[in-house]
Structure formats: structure tokens, C-alpha cells
Amino acid sequence: LNSAAMGTLSPFRMFLLFALAQQKVFVAASDVLELGDSDFDDMVAEYETVLVEFFAPWCGHCQQLAPEYETAATKLKGTVSLAKVDCTVNSETCGRFGVNGYPTLKIFRNGEDFAAYDGPRSADGIVSYMKKQAGPSSVPLHNERDLDAFVNHFEASVVGFFSSADSSQMAEFLKASSAMRDSHRFAHTADLSLVVPYNDVTILVSLLTSMVVLFRPPRLNSKFEDSLVKSEAVSIASLRQFIRDNVFGLCPHLTAENRENMRGRDLLVAYYDVDYLRNIKGTNYWRNRVMKVATQFQSQGLSYAVANRAEFQEELEEEFGLGPSDGGELPLITIRNREGHKYSMQEEFTTNKRLSLSNMVGRYLNKSLLPLQVVVADNFEELVNNPSKDVLLEFYAPWCGHCKSLEPKYTELGEQLSANTHIVIAKMDATANDVPPTYDVQGFPTIFFVPAGQKDQPRKYEGGREVNDFLNYLKEVATHPLILGNAREDL
């Protein structure tokens, strides 16, 4: 509009025009490419690597992903392009690539459908994942400076050393790196002499044809394990196994991005203020104490990790009943095994109680450690209202001093009754979950006995708070005779 026309507009109309102009500028500022049926093939072919989201505007998961995707696109600008296709108006393209759910994410290379994206859905996770997709799957190294710069990284590095650039071993290594580039960092060199400083075995370089070295991140270097591991395996299958067996080391840093890779194992985690950017020394102070215990019980089937407590606080509350104030600044220790059983260390993990962690691990390995029965809204029906089981249920608050005093006694009670398959000793955070209306909870802790077959008639426990008080009470009300250790307590 010219100045004369602008002068005839009311202030309200001028405001609307300004708002629309701002909105248009905002939309145009997006770093996510918008593709459709008419330009998809031509546009995608222009990029070496592009991540494409196939979405529907009404899809809730798509709406959740949108801001993360936008942020990732901005952070990756100039490295990897991110694009999106609205499948409600571009059905031909979405049908051609077999899209049958939203959002569907695919990686394209030079215009071709290369692989499904199965990485994280957070902005940082997308950035980390897609950076590994950019450029060659394995970085060529020419000298010691290149090697030092590559392995001095936040993540582990896998480097292949070969006798010549046209060796069959290097060709096999490059195939393997292409297959695993989304999970690990790879580099290679045809200068076999670069491996000499890292080879602690007396061997002539002239006799070597290849060597693969896994360098653990410098931030995780520790006197309890070697900072690198070597292998002569270069095939996809053998290299994949070598990396899987060694990449995490004795005690890795568990994050939201690598947690799925550590599922399926019995895992002990120490949660505290893990910060490898601003406080490496303080972070490794506690990690070294975990590693000392890990070396004591090595090769007995339990894995170990450290994690930032704030990153996993919601999980700690929901699955272990540990609130933000529990433990103070000291590490919280939990174990979750492959069967889904969960355990937490009740004793404080302090420098003057160094044996507390090794005692917990020893009891877990000899099967004398009682799994936690933490009740939340989602599993209340399964744990408490199971008609075949008697349940002693404590309602607590994380800030309650009396609850904290009761905790070790309540845990000991559970341990003494661990052989009783018909009795459940459980607790529920009443501040984080809705208390069912049949339970009159006026203060903390409040304890109820919920008998088998009478789940609509919970009985408030009014007895003492010592272990023997609970045992004597349960002897009187339990549906089945109690078993204490190996001894049977007949009523």
C-alpha cells in the first residue's frame, strides 16, 4: 500500500495488516523445507542428505514434534537439511513412500530413500543423530593431528588403521561404518604407523595389515579401565559385536539419547549432578566410586552407569518413589533388571560409608535384596487390588520426616517377608498420585492392610512402627502363614 492508501485505513485495520505481515515473516523464517507432490523429487535430489517428516496437521504426535523439529533444523542449517510433507494434501508422495502413520521420518541421500529414521525425537537428539548422517560415514585421517582431533570427542570413536587405501580390510571397514553410522563415529587411515603410540604389544608394524581401535571419550578416562580397546575384526558382524561389547565400558554416562541402547540388561545407575561440560572433576568423583565397586563385582551380570538426576527425575518419582528432596546432593542408587524388578539403596552413599554400595550389589547378586513395590495410579489395580494377595500399603510424602524415619524399617520388613509370595509390602507417594476414595489419608505416613479377596475393605494400621510390630500384626491378619527367611511361622 502507498502512503495515501495507508492514511485512509483505520488504526484497527492497520494493526491487522501489521500482524499478518509479522506472521508471514515468521512463517518464511522457518528452516524446515516444505515439500509437496509437485517439487518433492527435484528438491530432495539437490541435497546429499535430508531428513523428511511425513505428517498430518491433526496428528497430536506431529504437533509435539513440530517445535523440536524446527529447532533441530535451525541448529543443523548448513550441515543437514530438514524437510516436511503434509500428507493430507500430498497423498501421491506419501503413498509412494509407504507412509501409513504419522509422523513418519525418512532419511534421503541424493534423492533416494536411504533409511527410516529411528532416532530420538528431541531437538538435541535429532541434531546429534543427523550430524552422524552428514558427509562420509568414516572420516579419513592423514596425520597424528587429525587423529588426536577426532578421538578428543564427547562420544566414543572407532578408528581403522590399514596398510593401504585399496586394502580389502579397509573396504570392509567402510561398509561396516556405513551400516552403523547412525550409532557410532568412524574414521580410517592408510598410514599404519599412526597406531604405533597406541599399540602396547611389541609387534612390527610391517607385519600388521589392519587394526581397529575403539577410543573411549576422554572425559570418561579412568584408572579402573583402559581408555582404548583394540581388535583386528573388520567385517560388519564382527565389528558390530566388538563395538557392542566395549563401547559403554565399565560405567558409561546414561542419557536420554542412549538409554534405549542400555535396555535389556540388569543396570545399576547412580543419579546425581552429572555435568561433563562444567564439572568434569566433580562428576568423576562419584563415578570413580561406582567404578571401584563395579570392578569388585565384574563379570557377574550387572552393568553400571551414572546419570544426571534432573534429566531422569520424573522416572525416579514414578518408578522408584524418589522425590526431588530425597538424598539431598548425594547420589541416588537404583537397580532395574531385565524382568522389570526395581531396587533402590536405602542407605546414604557417602565417602565415609563406602561399603554401602558394595553391600547393596552383593545382596542383589545373591538374591537377598527385595525389589521395590512402588504403587502409582497406573499400577494400583495390578499391585494393590490383586485378589490373591495381602497388601500392606504405606501412603507417604517425599518431604515427610516420619516417612523417612520409617523407610529403613519398612524396607527391612519387606526383606524379611521376601519369601512370601502372597504378601506385598508397598508404598505410594500420596502427593504425586490420586488417593482412591476408600482410603482415608489425613497425614503421613498412613498405612493400610488390604486383605486378599476384600479389596474394598482396607483396614487402617494403628500399631507400632518397628519391624516386629508389623510382623506381629501380619501374623494375626495375613491370609497365609508367614515365612521368615527359611523358617515357617505358623499362626
Side-chain angles (χ1 to χ4, degrees):
L1 295 176
N2 57 34
S3 57
M6 288 289 289
T8 64
L9 293 177
S10 68
F12 179 71
R13 288 178 178 270
M14 290 180 65
F15 173 78
L16 285 179
L17 283 173
F18 178 77
L20 288 171
Q22 290 297 103
Q23 184 180 33
K24 186 174 181 181
V25 169
F26 175 77
V27 171
S30 172
D31 292 313
V32 178
L33 302 171
E34 292 190 36
L35 308 180
D37 290 342
S38 62
D39 62 356
F40 184 89
D41 291 337
D42 291 338
M43 291 292 291
V44 169
E46 292 184 11
Y47 300 91
E48 178 185 339
T49 302
V50 58
L51 176 63
V52 179
E53 176 202 3
F54 299 91
F55 76 101
W58 48 258
C59 163
H61 293 297
C62 303
Q63 294 166 8
Q64 281 186 317
L65 175 62
E68 301 292 329
Y69 203 67
E70 288 283 351
T71 300
T74 300
K75 290 184 176 181
L76 287 168
K77 193 172 183 179
T79 304
V80 176
S81 294
L82 270 60
K84 62 183 180 181
V85 177
D86 182 349
C87 290
T88 63
V89 293
N90 299 284
S91 57
E92 188 273 329
T93 299
C94 297
R96 188 151 49 96
F97 293 105
V99 176
N100 52 23
Y102 308 116
T104 293
L105 291 94
K106 289 178 175 288
I107 298 170
F108 287 77
R109 291 194 189 284
N110 301 312
E112 299 295 325
D113 182 359
F114 177 75
Y117 174 90
D118 57 359
R121 298 295 175 95
S122 65
D124 288 342
I126 294 171
V127 170
S128 176
Y129 190 101
M130 291 308 298
K131 276 185 175 179
K132 293 171 185 172
Q133 301 295 325
S137 61
S138 180
V139 178
L141 306 176
H142 304 290
N143 50 51
E144 290 184 16
R145 186 170 59 254
D146 289 349
L147 176 60
D148 290 342
F150 185 77
V151 301
N152 187 24
H153 195 272
F154 198 78
E155 299 178 34
S157 308
V158 182
V159 181
F161 299 86
F162 303 96
S163 56
S164 67
D166 58 357
S167 70
S168 60
Q169 292 100 327
M170 180 183 283
E172 193 70 17
F173 179 85
L174 293 177
K175 288 181 185 177
S177 69
S178 180
M180 294 183 280
R181 67 181 296 161
D182 57 341
S183 303
H184 308 291
R185 305 174 66 250
F186 293 90
H188 62 277
T189 179
D191 186 353
L192 200 51
S193 67
L194 295 183
V195 79
V196 172
Y198 304 102
N199 186 25
D200 55 7
V201 178
T202 303
I203 187 169
L204 295 176
V205 171
S206 60
L207 297 179
L208 283 175
T209 57
S210 66
M211 179 175 287
V212 177
V213 181
L214 186 152
F215 294 83
R216 296 197 172 106
R219 65 193 169 92
L220 298 183
N221 286 350
S222 167
K223 65 180 180 180
F224 295 104
E225 66 179 347
D226 294 331
S227 60
L228 54 87
V229 190
K230 290 169 286 188
S231 171
E232 294 185 22
V234 293
S235 70
I236 294 178
S238 58
L239 191 56
R240 191 186 299 276
Q241 187 64 48
F242 167 69
I243 296 173
R244 184 185 297 123
D245 291 344
N246 295 286
V247 69
F248 287 125
L250 193 59
C251 184
H253 175 196
L254 177 69
T255 67
E257 311 307 337
N258 67 19
R259 65 191 298 179
E260 290 306 317
N261 294 329
M262 301 192 69
R263 296 290 194 192
R265 63 180 70 193
D266 298 348
L267 181 64
L268 179 149
V269 183
Y271 297 93
Y272 57 101
D273 184 20
V274 172
D275 187 343
Y276 276 109
L277 294 177
R278 292 177 288 271
N279 188 15
I280 296 178
K281 184 176 180 181
T283 296
N284 282 333
Y285 175 85
W286 289 111
R287 178 173 176 265
N288 284 337
R289 277 149 183 76
V290 175
M291 294 186 76
K292 186 172 184 179
V293 173
T295 57
Q296 180 185 346
F297 296 97
Q298 209 162 357
S299 303
Q300 294 193 43
L302 185 62
S303 299
Y304 304 81
V306 297
N308 182 274
R309 176 170 173 170
E311 187 175 359
F312 291 92
Q313 185 56 56
E314 183 176 346
E315 180 177 304
L316 285 169
E317 291 186 45
E318 291 182 357
E319 300 195 15
F320 296 93
L322 298 170
S325 62
D326 287 324
E329 296 182 358
L330 297 174
L332 295 176
I333 309 294
T334 70
I335 296 176
R336 183 211 303 271
N337 66 17
R338 276 167 280 197
E339 289 75 37
H341 295 151
K342 298 180 282 286
Y343 310 78
S344 69
M345 190 169 80
Q346 303 303 317
E347 189 176 358
E348 287 186 339
F349 181 33
T350 63
T351 53
N352 61 351
K353 292 183 179 179
R354 291 186 297 272
L355 294 178
S356 57
L357 182 57
S358 59
N359 287 340
M360 178 191 182
V361 174
R363 289 168 57 212
Y364 169 79
L365 293 173
N366 66 28
K367 302 187 185 305
S368 64
L369 189 64
L370 181 74
L372 281 174
Q373 296 288 355
V374 178
V375 179
V376 294
D378 289 344
N379 66 7
F380 192 93
E381 193 69 25
E382 175 189 352
L383 289 181
V384 180
N385 287 343
N386 186 328
S388 66
K389 296 182 184 293
D390 292 333
V391 179
L392 192 68
L393 176 60
E394 174 203 0
F395 291 94
Y396 73 97
W399 44 259
C400 164
H402 294 299
C403 303
K404 293 177 181 178
S405 298
L406 175 62
E407 184 67 25
K409 301 171 186 176
Y410 204 63
T411 300
E412 183 183 341
L413 171 67
E415 291 171 355
Q416 289 204 31
L417 295 175
S418 59
N420 294 263
T421 59
H422 294 285
I423 295 181
V424 175
I425 307 299
K427 65 178 184 178
M428 182 177 191
D429 182 351
T431 67
N433 298 276
D434 292 331
V435 177
T438 50
Y439 295 83
D440 181 23
V441 177
Q442 300 295 330
F444 305 112
T446 298
I447 302 170
F448 287 88
F449 175 71
V450 192
Q454 302 176 52
K455 297 302 176 178
D456 58 344
Q457 301 176 42
R459 310 171 193 171
K460 183 176 287 188
Y461 173 78
E462 304 285 4
R465 301 288 174 83
E466 299 298 327
V467 176
N468 283 336
D469 295 325
F470 290 117
L471 288 174
N472 290 332
Y473 173 79
L474 290 173
K475 286 178 186 179
E476 296 177 3
V477 300
T479 306
H480 299 273
L482 300 188
I483 301 173
L484 302 180
N486 294 323
R488 184 184 179 91
E489 288 285 328
D490 293 316
L491 297 179

